[in-house]
Amino acid sequence: MNTTKTNHPFPCNLPLAQARNTVLNLGASKIREVANAGMGRDDVLAFWFGEPDSVTPAFIREAAKSALDGGDTFYRHNLGLPELREALANYLSQPNSDSNSGSKPRSIRADQIAVTSSGVNALMLAAQTILEPGDKVVAVVPLWPNLTEIPAILNAQVERHSLSFSPAVGWTLDLEKLLERITDQVRAVIINSPNNPSGWTMSGAEQARLLAHCREKGVWILSDEAYDRIVFDGSYQAPSMLDHVQADDRVLIANTFSKTWQMTGWRLGWLVGPANVVAQIGKLIEFNTSCAPGFVQKAGLEAVLHGEASTRQFVDQLKLRRDHLFQALASLDRIQVVNPPGAMYLFFKVAGMNNSLETCKLWVRDYGLGLAPGEAFGAESSGFIRWCFAKSTDLLDEGAARIHRALQDGAVQ
């Protein structure tokens, strides 16, 4: 009889290793689900992600090259290069050009700014700073999914407050109903304006009323202003919470270099908030990424100091592309589309479509057309599809021709 014992390093009756339940329950990106079905195919026109088809401007790339050649490959301050924080403070202190916003002169200090490793990192750091498990968060939707999933990762409870859509006026906010939902039992409200995916843009007057209400209730505002420079009314600047905040307000404003300066792959962003809170965010940066790379920050510094002309040229180009695609889609049967006031997307409704995810999968498979399904941004927009128009008009025309063929073929789920 063999009496040899086998020593197992772990008890045999334990379950297999797995992530915690909160992570297991996260929904995978439906945009990525569509993109994964089409990546690697040369025939696919990719309009699914929010980035232009042009590379970062040369003067920004040269600044990064110069920093690398100079040996800038070491750790940097958790909160960012002092010169970049100062440049951002000066840049953000410029008043908003919206004369009806009810704004006051801005006075942003460098100690109110944290430089982060991307805009989405800024959002995660903001949430880690103010949210506890079980906190109630109200989010204005439809919304880029990261903004609702980040609180969920931290075990906060997200309540969705939907914009309304009308073919005549587009997406609008019932501010009174939103304010009714923001009680003193709410920890934070999340706003993204100009909005991804709809392009809805909150007015300065609405921002001021929201802030006054949140002050009264002791509620934080997390404002994602990634598209603050991409507006099409000639102002080159959307209304911002920065126009209304006081230094100690419970407001965190996240932004990114990705959109304004066409730096999506650089992964550089920033947060603005009360100085005492930003100081604490420095500790969180240490435990998340330690710091943003120095040579990337040098590129960001060049963008902030010398990028205004490039930004305005980019926005002018986007406006032409927006109008071009709008005309093409508006002429098609079964499509309802409104020209958005901001951001870089047309978010259009397709009559008779019950499942935008399956429709987008069908279109990428059979027509080589890569778009983002409305379900990715919440059930409120299941009848919609998002199209990033930051592409050449030739590509937009070909994409419009393909969607026309798909609709003629009845290829809608």
Side-chain angles (χ1 to χ4, degrees):
M1 180 177 180
N2 185 358
T3 59
T4 302
K5 292 184 178 180
T6 302
N7 294 321
H8 294 283
F10 303 104
C12 294
N13 60 342
L14 289 180
L16 295 175
Q18 62 182 23
R20 63 189 176 97
N21 287 336
T22 299
V23 177
L24 290 174
N25 292 332
L26 286 174
S29 168
K30 292 180 174 63
I31 304 173
R32 284 284 181 181
E33 190 173 340
V34 175
N36 289 342
M39 283 186 173
R41 283 177 48 185
D42 293 337
D43 64 323
V44 172
L45 300 180
F47 304 110
W48 38 48
F49 297 144
E51 61 181 354
D53 55 3
S54 54
V55 300
T56 304
F59 72 96
I60 298 174
R61 288 182 278 128
E62 290 301 323
K65 293 177 188 177
S66 178
L68 280 172
D69 288 342
D72 195 346
T73 60
F74 298 98
Y75 291 131
R76 290 299 195 161
H77 193 289
N78 294 135
L79 289 171
L81 295 175
E83 58 267 40
L84 178 54
R85 295 172 73 196
E86 192 65 44
L88 283 168
N90 292 333
Y91 168 77
L92 296 172
S93 292
Q94 301 302 312
N96 192 298
S97 58
D98 178 6
S99 60
N100 298 318
S101 67
S103 62
K104 58 182 177 57
R106 297 180 186 175
S107 181
I108 309 300
R109 304 189 311 270
D111 64 355
Q112 295 176 267
I113 296 172
V115 177
T116 63
S117 298
S118 77
V120 68
N121 179 234
L123 295 167
M124 176 60 85
L125 289 165
Q128 289 175 341
T129 301
I130 64 175
L131 296 182
E132 299 280 5
D135 279 347
K136 184 185 295 185
V137 176
V138 174
V140 176
V141 295
L143 196 59
W144 184 49
N146 294 42
L147 280 163
T148 52
E149 294 304 324
I150 284 172
I153 291 170
L154 300 175
N155 293 115
Q157 306 301 313
V158 179
E159 293 186 358
R160 306 173 71 87
H161 182 85
S162 184
L163 300 169
S164 299
F165 176 76
S166 162
V169 297
W171 295 87
T172 56
L173 170 68
D174 188 327
L175 182 60
E176 296 304 322
K177 288 186 177 179
L178 174 63
L179 297 183
E180 288 174 6
R181 298 190 69 168
I182 303 173
T183 69
D184 55 10
Q185 300 301 306
V186 172
R187 178 63 172 171
V189 58
I190 297 175
I191 301 288
N192 169 221
S193 171
N195 174 259
N196 174 11
S198 70
W200 165 78
T201 301
M202 196 174 197
S203 72
E206 289 174 322
Q207 289 173 337
R209 285 201 61 202
L210 175 64
L211 178 55
H213 181 83
C214 288
R215 281 179 184 146
E216 178 186 343
K217 300 298 181 182
V219 174
W220 280 90
I221 296 174
L222 176 51
S223 181
D224 177 6
E225 302 189 2
Y227 299 92
D228 67 325
R229 300 301 309 277
I230 303 179
V231 290
F232 306 113
D233 61 358
S235 68
Y236 298 98
Q237 191 172 35
S240 169
M241 293 303 302
L242 289 171
D243 297 316
H244 313 286
V245 295
Q246 298 173 6
D248 58 350
D249 274 325
R250 292 182 177 90
V251 179
L252 290 172
I253 300 166
N255 213 317
T256 176
F257 287 76
S258 291
K259 313 302 180 181
T260 299
W261 296 290
Q262 302 171 68
M263 295 176 67
T264 54
W266 296 76
R267 316 316 298 136
L268 189 65
W270 72 84
L271 268 173
V272 182
N276 64 311
V277 176
V278 168
Q280 300 304 310
I281 289 172
K283 294 188 295 188
L284 286 173
I285 292 174
E286 171 62 28
F287 300 133
N288 276 268
T289 59
S290 294
C291 60
F295 65 92
V296 173
Q297 293 190 64
K298 291 289 181 63
L301 178 62
E302 187 71 13
V304 173
L305 293 177
H306 304 293
E308 186 61 24
S310 175
T311 294
R312 292 185 175 230
Q313 182 181 28
F314 177 52
V315 174
D316 288 343
Q317 181 187 68
L318 284 178
K319 185 177 187 298
L320 293 173
R321 293 175 172 185
R322 177 199 67 160
D323 294 344
H324 188 90
L325 182 60
F326 171 77
Q327 292 296 330
L329 293 184
S331 68
L332 299 179
D333 292 337
R334 300 182 64 178
I335 287 183
Q336 290 182 344
V337 60
V338 176
N339 236 358
M344 55 175 66
Y345 313 101
L346 288 188
F347 200 47
F348 58 93
K349 192 170 187 178
V350 181
M353 182 175 66
N354 298 312
N355 191 318
S356 66
L357 176 59
E358 293 305 317
T359 296
C360 285
K361 286 182 178 179
L362 175 64
W363 287 356
V364 76
R365 185 189 69 211
D366 292 351
Y367 298 90
L369 181 61
L371 302 171
E375 275 99 341
F377 309 97
E380 306 83 3
S381 51
S382 61
F384 290 79
I385 288 175
R386 191 193 74 176
W387 186 322
C388 177
F389 54 74
K391 312 293 180 183
S392 72
T393 53
D394 287 346
L395 287 178
L396 297 177
D397 286 339
E398 177 57 28
R402 294 186 187 189
I403 199 173
H404 180 52
R405 289 198 297 272
L407 293 174
Q408 282 188 319
D409 294 345
V412 175
Q413 296 292 315

